[in-house]
Amino acid sequence: MATIAPLAQAVSQVVHDGDTVAFEGFTHLIPFAAGHEVIRQRKRDLTLVRMTPDVIYDQLIGAGCARKLVFSWGGNPGVGSLHRFRDAVQNGWPNALEIEEHSHAGMANRYVAAASGLPFAVLRGYVGTDLPKQTDTIAPITCPFTGEVLTAVPALDLDSAVIHAQRADRRGNVQLWGITGVQKEAVLAARRSLVTVEEVVDELEPRPGAVVLPSWVVDYVAEVPGGAHPSYAHDYSTRDNDYYQRWDTISKDRESFRTWLETVA
């Protein structure tokens, strides 16, 4: 059953040094507040997993939290590059960063396999690309029924998963809606999980299309209003487009990034 706790306590219990951890959210409900708490707690040697690493991963990488990134696309959405990510890969600052690149479909299937308790997933993707030559976790597999050569990718072995949602009730059941990505699968795939929410309510009201994560699949819930900022939480907040623009300037220079980091840490 989920424990409702302050953010700092929840992060300390869920995200450990050396973890393989996913901070998931698609366009909205990105768990920025939890990521910033990871920076404050100086977590280290993390393998960061995400389908679309954006600004929050740029911040975690620049803060020295990461040793590896498993991903399918990376950028500052609508703006440009992730400069701290680029600096880590090209120059090893503040740490050398190992990368493992997949397609969106490959990453999604890896989450689904892990959430389903399967060792790997099979798909038709990657054919005609050079990713299998670059990534060890992509391998051909022959269908035993048709002889067709397909592609296999291993399930994501997550120690921890962190997501943001709109609501939880006082028993720790979680409700999220709007554009959803692989948040559900990330939680189901991980050994430990944390959901930050806009509010904790007495009862969850039924809502068409909403995803409900029952209390027994979530370890910690933390009430963090605005916890997705600068992304947004559908029906609760709007996207702070100016923040993403400012981040491009802040992150280009190591000194300006260090100044920003002092405001978080």
Side-chain angles (χ1 to χ4, degrees):
M1 301 294 286
T3 299
I4 298 176
L7 179 61
Q9 176 188 342
V11 165
S12 70
Q13 293 298 315
V14 172
V15 182
H16 303 160
D17 288 351
D19 269 4
T20 297
V21 54
F23 294 78
E24 275 295 351
F26 184 68
T27 304
H28 76 144
L29 300 178
I30 299 171
F32 272 88
H36 292 166
E37 183 59 33
V38 167
I39 291 173
R40 281 191 288 273
Q41 294 188 16
R42 302 182 184 277
K43 303 295 185 180
R44 291 293 182 264
D45 298 319
L46 301 178
T47 294
L48 298 176
V49 179
R50 185 167 158 82
M51 286 188 63
T52 55
D54 57 5
V55 168
I56 185 58
Y57 273 28
D58 209 32
Q59 294 170 347
L60 287 162
I61 291 166
C65 299
R67 69 168 189 84
K68 182 177 180 179
L69 179 65
V70 181
F71 71 112
S72 57
W73 174 90
N76 184 343
V79 180
S81 293
L82 296 176
H83 302 294
R84 294 301 92 223
F85 174 24
R86 181 184 293 273
D87 200 8
V89 172
Q90 294 182 335
N91 305 308
W93 192 93
N95 303 314
L97 186 70
E98 181 183 349
I99 60 172
E100 179 182 324
E101 186 175 0
H102 283 266
S103 67
H104 281 345
M107 287 293 291
N109 276 272
R110 295 186 72 188
Y111 274 116
V112 171
S116 303
L118 298 172
F120 64 91
V122 177
L123 65 157
R124 285 194 172 90
Y126 300 105
V127 175
T129 76
D130 66 351
L131 274 175
K133 297 178 182 178
Q134 310 300 325
T135 305
D136 292 338
T137 49
I138 302 171
I141 187 170
T142 301
C143 174
F145 304 105
T146 67
E148 181 182 2
V149 178
L150 302 167
T151 303
V153 288
L156 285 166
D157 185 18
L158 297 180
D159 296 300
S160 46
V162 181
I163 67 170
H164 188 72
Q166 282 95 339
R167 295 175 185 158
D169 65 21
R170 302 193 188 284
R171 296 180 297 277
N173 300 299
V174 172
Q175 186 183 45
L176 64 147
W177 62 87
I179 301 173
T180 54
V182 291
Q183 293 100 312
K184 174 184 70 175
E185 288 78 9
V187 168
L188 294 176
R191 297 176 182 86
R192 301 180 300 276
S193 60
L194 162 62
V195 184
T196 56
V197 296
E198 292 292 320
E199 62 174 338
V200 175
V201 298
D202 292 331
E203 297 289 339
L204 298 179
E205 297 178 1
R207 188 180 183 94
V211 174
V212 174
L213 293 168
S215 177
W216 51 268
V217 304
V218 177
D219 291 295
Y220 281 86
V221 170
E223 187 175 29
V224 188
H229 180 268
S231 77
Y232 69 99
H234 187 72
D235 288 330
Y236 282 80
S237 62
T238 58
R239 189 177 190 269
D240 186 349
N241 294 315
D242 290 342
Y243 186 105
Y244 289 89
Q245 293 282 354
R246 292 194 303 272
W247 183 253
D248 188 62
T249 300
I250 291 168
S251 62
K252 278 182 179 177
D253 178 77
R254 292 179 187 175
E255 289 308 312
S256 61
F257 172 76
R258 284 192 181 103
T259 300
W260 173 86
L261 192 59
E262 291 175 359
T263 70
V264 174

